Amino acid sequence: MILISSCLVGHPVRYDGRDQLNSRLKQLVEDGKAMPVCPELMGGLQVPREPAEIRGGDGEAVWQGQARVVTRSGQDVTAQFKEGALQTLAMCRQYQVTLVILKEYSPSCGTQMIYNGQFDSTKQPGLGVTSALLRRNGIQVINEKDPLLEGHGLD
Ligand code: SF4
């Protein structure tokens, strides 16, 4: 089974109530090859919600206790982000997930680049909180632009 960020398969679950539809990935769900997951909703956050970024590092630093996830107004939502990541890991184990495809740049789902924690639209290398936990647990995590999606039996 494959897990895919819910926003990528057309669910309007982003902080601003919009989606990030990728029709090809949505087709994987419709074909029964993949399931959607939104870590931030599973962590107890709502739609819409304030945008959040990681301050002090990336998702790996969050798990090391060196960084926090904060909203634009300064609310600490680290606990909700960690809970969503843990729930996503539990889903991976329950459904024997072999590949997770997550939305790049998200503070939960980013796999290579995330925003820098200053809310100034600047990106920097780093993992989201969920991506970091899944990788720590040996699960393959890629983003929606990964060349791996061109082939490898995903069509
Ligand atoms: S990027 Fe991840 S956490 Fe954000 S809306 Fe999409 S699935 Fe949910």
Side-chain angles (χ1 to χ4, degrees):
M1 181 58 73
I2 298 169
L3 276 193
I4 304 177
S5 286
S6 297
C7 56
L8 288 174
V9 301
H11 296 190
V13 293
R14 277 175 37 132
Y15 72 93
D16 56 5
R18 298 170 66 185
D19 64 58
Q20 288 281 331
L21 177 62
N22 177 312
S23 299
R24 194 166 171 222
L25 296 179
K26 182 180 180 186
Q27 192 63 46
L28 289 176
V29 174
E30 290 178 347
D31 292 345
K33 295 178 180 168
M35 297 169 57
V37 62
C38 177
E40 290 174 29
L41 292 196
M42 290 209 300
L45 297 171
Q46 309 288 319
V47 181
R49 54 190 175 278
E50 255 199 293
E53 296 188 3
I54 302 174
R55 193 163 284 168
D58 72 344
E60 183 57 36
V62 169
W63 291 107
Q64 292 169 359
Q66 297 166 352
R68 312 291 298 170
V69 189
V70 294
T71 68
R72 192 195 298 273
S73 70
Q75 183 189 354
D76 189 324
V77 286
T78 306
Q80 291 93 325
F81 272 65
K82 289 172 87 171
E83 175 61 22
L86 289 165
Q87 298 252 0
T88 304
L89 177 61
M91 257 181 98
C92 288
R93 289 178 170 153
Q94 181 176 356
Y95 295 101
Q96 290 154 11
V97 168
T98 53
L99 177 66
V100 182
I101 305 168
L102 296 180
K103 177 73 187 76
E104 195 62 352
Y105 311 134
S106 154
S108 290
C109 294
T111 70
Q112 293 179 336
M113 299 286 289
I114 57 171
Y115 289 98
N116 67 355
Q118 301 302 315
F119 297 94
D120 63 2
S121 302
T122 305
K123 295 169 191 143
Q124 63 185 19
L127 290 165
V129 176
T130 293
S131 300
L133 182 68
L134 299 185
R135 288 226 176 122
R136 273 180 164 212
N137 283 274
I139 295 167
Q140 186 177 18
V141 183
I142 63 174
N143 65 52
E144 72 276 19
K145 296 171 192 152
D146 195 292
L148 185 65
L149 295 174
E150 306 296 328
H152 286 77
L154 292 179
D155 291 320

